[in-house]
Amino acid sequence: MFLLRKIGSVLRGNASPLQIMLATVLGGLLGFVPGFCLPGDLGGGFLQAPALILLLLILALVWNANLALFGLTLLVSKMASFAMLPLSYRIGRWLLDGPLQETFRGLINGPVTAWCGLEYYATAGGLTMGLGFGMTSGGVMLKVMKLIRS
């Protein structure tokens, strides 16, 4: 019940479209990071990509994203990522071994981005899928917000 009221207040409240889009995109990106938020594996994703997880959490706070929508998008995208893990692995393999190989080689060997876990196929593909999921869910939320507010 609390969650439904919180979502309703987000849609009726004064959250800007930028805050809503940032929340869904960052929540989608974090949700598709493999191993993050697994109940039986409390450090699996954090051990693989600590800088990426911390960066996405810090960006959500610094850019003033809507935290309720961020959490909701994170949960939904995490559930979707379990079902789409083979697809994200294939996308990551295509990215790392295909046309963007040199770009990812530079990112994987970079001083800060080496801690982002981009050498794993599922992480690279998951970020791509998370971006698409976040943009799509953000567009849907903006349309729903526009309908409810008008």
Side-chain angles (χ1 to χ4, degrees):
M1 191 67 175
F2 172 74
L3 185 62
L4 292 175
R5 286 185 185 172
K6 193 70 172 167
I7 292 171
S9 69
V10 165
L11 295 176
R12 283 178 283 137
N14 56 3
S16 71
L18 179 64
Q19 289 174 327
I20 290 174
M21 190 58 100
L22 282 173
T24 57
V25 168
L26 292 172
L29 286 171
L30 189 57
F32 273 90
V33 172
F36 179 67
C37 289
L38 289 179
D41 185 24
L42 282 176
F46 194 74
L47 293 176
Q48 285 183 357
L52 180 63
I53 293 170
L54 289 176
L55 177 72
L56 291 172
L57 288 172
I58 289 170
L59 286 177
L61 294 173
V62 169
W63 285 346
N64 198 19
N66 190 305
L67 294 180
L69 195 56
F70 173 77
L72 180 67
T73 307
L74 174 65
L75 290 174
V76 172
S77 64
K78 181 48 79 179
M79 289 187 288
S81 75
F82 289 136
M84 293 191 251
L85 187 60
L87 180 62
S88 69
Y89 179 83
R90 280 191 223 119
I91 291 172
R93 188 169 179 188
W94 179 77
L95 288 171
L96 290 175
D97 294 339
L100 297 175
Q101 185 177 18
E102 293 300 319
T103 304
F104 274 96
R105 184 176 292 147
L107 288 172
I108 289 168
N109 295 325
V112 175
T113 55
W115 291 91
C116 290
L118 294 174
E119 66 269 14
Y120 299 105
Y121 292 132
T123 303
L127 285 176
T128 305
M129 290 183 63
L131 181 65
F133 183 85
M135 298 280 284
T136 304
S137 61
V140 169
M141 285 301 295
L142 286 176
K143 286 187 182 202
V144 168
M145 180 186 72
K146 194 175 195 178
L147 285 173
I148 289 177
R149 287 184 180 176
S150 66

